[in-house]
Amino acid sequence: MTGDWPESYSLLEDGIAVPVAPSGQAITAVAAAAGQAGLLDATHVQVAEAAPPEAKQEFTLRRMRRIFQPAADFRQLPLPALLREVTENERLNAYLEWVVDMTGWDVAPDIVPDAAALGVAAWCWRNNTAVEDHHLDTDVQMARVNIAVTRITRQHVCPWAGIDWDSIKNALMDPQWALPDGTPICSLFGPGWTEVAATVTAELDRWRHLDHEVLGPQTTMILMSIGGSTSYTDSWWGQGRWLSMCRRVIDDATTAGLSLPPPYDQRGPDALLADLDAPDEVPARFSAGSSTCRMPASMGLAGCACTTSPDLTGTVGTRTGSPSRDNP
């Protein structure tokens, strides 16, 4: 409770008790419980509808300061001067208007490394590039590639040092970069890989410039954390509550009397849940779904249907399209 208008963030209705034994499984158990409760993801907050207009305005101003004060400190500029520069940057301003102020309007401006990795995957690979123009044959195949992107991005996001854009770019452009089954990812796109590689490289380079020259690492991490926490990514692999979502869908399916596809009809739902921790490694015959249970599509492996909404790059007249909700 702080300030003239009390702010109350209620994250849990009840406390969480996690019984653990003194073993190497303790960390895994605590992480699973925290993930199920959504504590490993960004916090979503909003001012109560009954709050006075002044409270809502103050909340918005505090959120803005939390996002951009680190950038002002990084640049050694007064905050108003930094904000003027930000608003004059067409591409950055488009991201702020669409991702931060619209689709991510209720995301608390905190640094959440896994969410930031999803933000990079969503807005520097999946959208604002030619990836959608060269969509692979199936949504499942596309999802496997997008998961591979998220895995790489996670390796180069640090809560203290920020995002290593060059390492991400080098990894994604490596001809040896492959799916778990050994298939080189560049080969999946065929002749379209040239355009995919060029546009992804350009987007990563833009954000590297913004990070190093305009925003600094902290503000960039906050913006990418918000970008990885919107409705476009809320069911993607990489969310802290991923396994909780999978468990809910499996339970709903089995309760409805649907049979799990082989081999999980014999191994059981717990084995399926364990394997879905790495869904890109689940056998393709299962990932494609079956006539009795389209489980992975429901859980986001094949992804949600793409929506038609304004694209950031379309806002400034360079590329057109719509943000994709396909799960990475």
Side-chain angles (χ1 to χ4, degrees):
M1 308 290 282
T2 60
D4 296 330
W5 297 286
E7 296 176 355
S8 176
Y9 297 169
S10 178
L11 302 180
L12 297 172
E13 294 181 357
D14 300 299
I16 298 177
V18 185
V20 295
S23 69
Q25 299 300 315
I27 294 176
T28 301
V30 172
Q36 184 174 356
L39 298 180
L40 301 183
D41 300 320
T43 302
H44 292 252
V45 296
Q46 57 183 301
V47 180
E49 292 185 6
E54 304 96 301
K56 297 179 180 180
Q57 183 179 25
E58 177 67 14
F59 188 87
T60 300
L61 290 174
R62 289 190 183 194
R63 184 174 187 255
M64 178 271 294
R65 284 196 294 268
R66 172 69 183 96
I67 294 172
F68 291 107
Q69 188 60 56
D73 295 341
F74 173 78
R75 297 283 303 285
Q76 298 183 340
L77 290 173
L79 183 58
L82 185 280
L83 292 176
R84 280 196 298 272
E85 184 174 338
V86 166
T87 56
E88 290 170 359
N89 187 306
E90 220 172 0
R91 294 298 293 269
L92 178 56
N93 201 41
Y95 182 89
L96 296 175
E97 289 181 356
W98 176 248
V99 179
V100 178
D101 293 340
M102 293 181 64
T103 59
W105 67 274
D106 63 341
V107 181
D110 297 320
I111 292 175
V112 183
D114 283 351
L118 284 171
V120 174
W123 301 104
C124 298
W125 167 268
R126 198 66 185 84
N127 295 292
N128 305 322
T129 68
V131 169
E132 181 63 23
D133 296 340
H134 299 280
H135 197 289
L136 301 180
D137 291 341
T138 68
D139 286 341
V140 169
Q141 192 178 40
M142 199 71 171
R144 290 180 185 276
V145 172
N146 293 344
I147 291 173
V149 174
T150 305
R151 289 192 188 281
I152 281 179
T153 304
R154 278 180 152 188
Q155 297 172 15
H156 302 292
V157 173
C158 172
W160 299 281
I163 300 170
D164 186 345
W165 298 98
D166 287 336
S167 291
I168 293 173
K169 179 175 67 175
N170 292 339
L172 296 183
M173 297 302 113
D174 185 349
Q176 303 303 313
W177 176 40
L179 294 177
D181 65 4
T183 303
I185 288 174
C186 61
S187 69
L188 295 173
F189 289 91
W193 176 250
T194 300
E195 186 182 11
V196 168
T199 54
V200 169
T201 295
E203 198 63 27
L204 290 169
D205 284 344
R206 284 190 198 97
W207 274 101
R208 180 187 182 280
H209 171 78
L210 289 172
D211 185 339
H212 293 185
E213 304 297 332
V214 181
L215 301 172
Q218 285 187 294
T219 292
T220 302
M221 283 281 285
I222 292 172
L223 292 178
M224 282 296 150
S225 295
I226 295 173
S229 304
T230 72
S231 59
Y232 291 108
T233 57
D234 59 6
S235 63
W236 285 23
W237 178 88
Q239 297 286 355
R241 65 189 186 284
W242 167 256
L243 288 180
S244 178
M245 292 188 288
C246 292
R247 166 61 75 183
R248 186 168 60 251
V249 174
I250 292 172
D251 289 346
D252 288 348
T254 54
T255 299
L258 298 176
S259 299
L260 298 180
Y264 301 103
D265 55 343
Q266 299 296 322
R267 295 179 60 199
D270 288 341
L272 170 56
L273 184 67
D275 285 354
L276 285 174
D277 192 30
D280 51 331
E281 298 178 9
V282 172
R285 65 181 181 277
F286 171 70
S287 298
S290 71
S291 60
T292 58
C293 183
R294 301 288 296 185
M295 294 292 293
S298 302
M299 287 178 283
L301 180 57
C304 302
C306 295
T307 58
T308 51
S309 302
D311 184 282
L312 301 189
T313 50
T315 305
V316 294
T318 53
R319 292 191 59 78
T320 57
S322 60
S324 171
R325 296 188 65 175
D326 284 2
N327 174 70

